[in-house]
Amino acid sequence: MFANFRQSMAWLHTWFGLVLGYVLMSCFFFGALSVFDREIDRWALPETRFAPQPMPSFDKVLAPAFARLEADPADYALNMPAMHDPAKGPQTPRLSLPADEYWAYTTHRDPVLAIGAGFRVPLAKDPDGHNHIHGNATIDPRSGAAVPSDQLKIGSQWFYPMHYSLNWQWRNMGIFIVGLAGLVMLAALVTGVIMHRKFFREFFTFRPAKQTQRSLLDLHNLTGVVALPFHFFFAFTGLLIFAGFYYFPVSQFQLKPLHDQHEIIEARETGLPHARAGIPAPLASVDAMMAEARRRWAARDMAGEVGFLQLQHMGDANGYVSIYRAGSDRVALVGEAIHFKASTGEVLREEPPRAPVPALNEFLAGLHLQHFEHWLLRWLYVLGGLLGCVCIATGFIFFVEKRKQQHARSGLQGARVVDALAVGCVTGMIIAAIGILVANRLLPAGLTDKGAWEQQIFWGLWALSFVHAALRGAPVAQARINPAWREQCWTIAALALAAVALNAITTGDHLLKTLFLDPYLAVAGVDLSLLVCAGLAIAAALKLARRERHPVAMGAADPVEVANA
Amino acid sequence: MTIPLTASLRKFSLPLRILAAILGGWAFSWSFVACSTTVLVGLGMPFHDAETASLMLGLLAFLTVFLWAFATRSALRVATALPVGALLFHVVALLLQRQILSWGL
């Protein structure tokens, strides 16, 4: 089918890159925003604009907050009938389910605290199975008061899941599509290197003043090659994080017997009970356990904040409390767990240093999830993600530029369609992302289910940008520029400026205050980024307007290389 | 009217190759992960360590067979080799698992 190896790799790069590139663009862009997801949350939820807090006292704050948790109605409706055995008796009502597990999770960037419970199904079909109905909440760790659950954390609950699931939960479709896109990203990197013979020269080559095609290809290669390790590792580690549960779930399918046997061995070796004993038992002071954990970490000369707290088999003699250290001082994730017997507070187990394989896995996952405290490195992550976006976007535009003269001559619409889709997924995506922030400031705070409104506006704006790009795309079929690029750049600039202004008006946290008078850098950072975005969008719009008035010659500078691309 | 087999194959060769690369490659690497996990557990590695190491190798295997699926000459070869390989790895994984479980706890 393909004449030679290089041609087959070029075909793969072009067509898979084009089709999955639209998805990859969202992964890279929303992934880059996720680096500062907690800061975007603060911008969107003004009442949570206070300093990050350590894990609060269990006895004073967490215990009453846990007691207030309820099983989630949707989770109950979906999973209760599947887990409950009607032959053993009536279904336990949602609010009467006994709690089996509690957890609380925080990082060095969180003012608010995420907590959750796993409720036990008393009359389960499979009593040995993991029968949990979940219920989660966010609380203010200073008082234990709940943060309203219909408020959307736009950073960590919308942009962050967007980058790995496209926020499409139906049968985890989004996660699988992103997985395929991740594989294609790896394949595109390998094939991209194969296609380009002059690999190292491309490190240093960018000719912005040459013809559009030439400078586009330079920029595509430069952004691809300069950040090659970044792109490869992010696609790879992203796939790895989901591989065990979603893509290759061997431990739930063909190797389930082996996995279950291992759980029993593990429980025996670690002394951490796998199941409940069925004997009621009280809970000793968890604050004392946390103090002991901090003392032990300090004795090992480690930064000692509690990142993750987990209570298993609540109220049972087999109950235990696991306390994990927050990974703010290294790449790997939470770790160095110390486990306590819940009823007495004695130490059951202090986790030994990791074996090489899990240590490597923690490092790779940590490299992707960045729990460390290093602001410069965080910004470099954003830069890497945006370089990925530039690489993909220039790929789209190169695809169009290479074909639009010929399509114009032969009356084909292909270049026009690809170009309109590129507009929608490049500028349209930015419009949606800034649009949801503007909506967040415009919608009244007391609006019922405000988060759902914001999500609808996000999708609505994004859909509109595709429609706009399609309607304005006629010039592409005549080998000219789609004016939608320029118009959407102006829209981005207007929305970004509006967002900054609205934040100042509705919350009083203007840049002078957040930078100098009463510094709060999370909000200042989002505002400044929006201003930079507005500036870049205006510059791009002006440049596009010049190009539309005086089109430059579109010849191919290097026919051999352009033909290969 | 009969269409010669080779001609109809050629027409479907690209869709066949794409499907085989994605679905066949997925099945192949999934079974590869299962097989590699049982081999490593058999060699004495704890289950989750073996699983994690195999997932890393399995992702690289997926990338490799995905590229091979487009580099190799015959689409039919891709469409047969990957499912057959998947089946082989799967069977070996099941046999090894039975063997390991028979050793007891």
Side-chain angles (χ1 to χ4, degrees), chain A residues 2 15 42 102 113 120 141 146 193 197 227 252 303 319 326 333 350 365 396 493 556:
Chain A
F2 301 114
W15 291 98
R42 300 292 79 73
Y102 286 135
L113 181 71
R120 193 154 54 85
V193 171
R197 285 163 250 227
Q252 296 159 60
L333 294 174
E350 190 166 345
F396 290 147

Side-chain angles (χ1 to χ4, degrees), chain A residues 45-65:
Chain A
L45 303 173
E47 63 276 21
T48 66
R49 291 178 185 174
F50 52 90
Q53 304 290 318
M55 187 69 80
S57 157
F58 180 90
D59 305 346
K60 290 197 197 82
V61 177
L62 286 175

Side-chain angles (χ1 to χ4, degrees), chain A residues 21-56:
Chain A
Y22 296 112
V23 178
L24 280 171
M25 190 78 192
S26 319
C27 301
F28 272 87
F29 180 69
F30 289 105
L33 293 185
S34 300
V35 174
F36 287 110
D37 59 347
R38 303 298 205 279
E39 288 69 17
I40 296 170
D41 288 350
R42 300 292 79 73
W43 195 96
L45 303 173
E47 63 276 21
T48 66
R49 291 178 185 174
F50 52 90
Q53 304 290 318
M55 187 69 80

Side-chain angles (χ1 to χ4, degrees), chain B residues 25-97:
Chain B
W26 186 15
F28 179 90
S29 19
W30 184 330
S31 300
F32 171 87
V33 172
C35 183
S36 158
T37 305
T38 51
V39 169
L40 292 174
V41 170
L43 291 173
M45 200 184 263
F47 180 83
H48 285 295
D49 298 16
E51 186 193 15
T52 305
S54 303
L55 289 172
M56 293 179 198
L57 294 175
L59 286 173
L60 294 176
F62 201 167
L63 175 60
T64 311
V65 295
F66 188 77
L67 293 172
W68 169 80
F70 291 91
T72 199
R73 201 159 284 281
S74 151
L76 205 56
R77 186 190 302 158
V78 178
T80 47
L82 291 179
V84 168
L87 195 66
L88 277 178
F89 278 134
H90 182 66
V91 169
V92 173
L94 290 185
L95 290 175
L96 272 173
Q97 173 173 243

Side-chain angles (χ1 to χ4, degrees), chain A residues 202-246:
Chain A
E202 284 166 358
F203 261 111
F204 311 105
T205 312
F206 180 40
R207 289 158 283 183
K210 291 257 186 167
Q211 294 98 329
T212 312
Q213 273 197 53
R214 182 66 260 169
S215 18
L216 267 175
L217 194 56
D218 282 348
L219 196 57
H220 183 63
N221 296 337
L222 180 91
T223 49
V225 170
V226 164
L228 188 65
F230 177 91
H231 299 328
F232 193 92
F233 266 89
F234 271 78
F236 184 78
T237 53
L239 286 168
L240 186 61
I241 288 166
F242 285 94
F245 197 79
Y246 292 103

Side-chain angles (χ1 to χ4, degrees), chain A residues 1-2 5 8-9 11-12 16 183 187 240 244 247-251 254-255 257-259 261-262 357-358 361, chain B residues 13-14 17 26 30 34 38 47-49 51-52 55-56 59 62-63 66-67 70-71 90 97 100-101 104-105:
Chain A
M1 185 184 77
F2 301 114
F5 173 65
S8 72
M9 293 295 103
W11 184 90
L12 176 63
F16 273 93
L183 175 76
L240 186 61
Y247 306 143
F248 310 130
V250 289
S251 61
Q254 65 264 66
L255 300 188
L258 197 59
H259 169 260
Q261 187 206 42
H262 175 76
V357 171
N361 186 46
Chain B
S13 130
L14 188 60
R17 195 186 288 267
W26 186 15
W30 184 330
T38 51
F47 180 83
H48 285 295
D49 298 16
E51 186 193 15
T52 305
L55 289 172
M56 293 179 198
L59 286 173
F62 201 167
L63 175 60
F66 188 77
L67 293 172
F70 291 91
H90 182 66
Q97 173 173 243
I100 295 166
L101 288 175
L105 291 175

Side-chain angles (χ1 to χ4, degrees), chain A residues 73 96 118 180 257 306 342 423:
Chain A
S96 310
L180 180 62
V306 176
V423 175

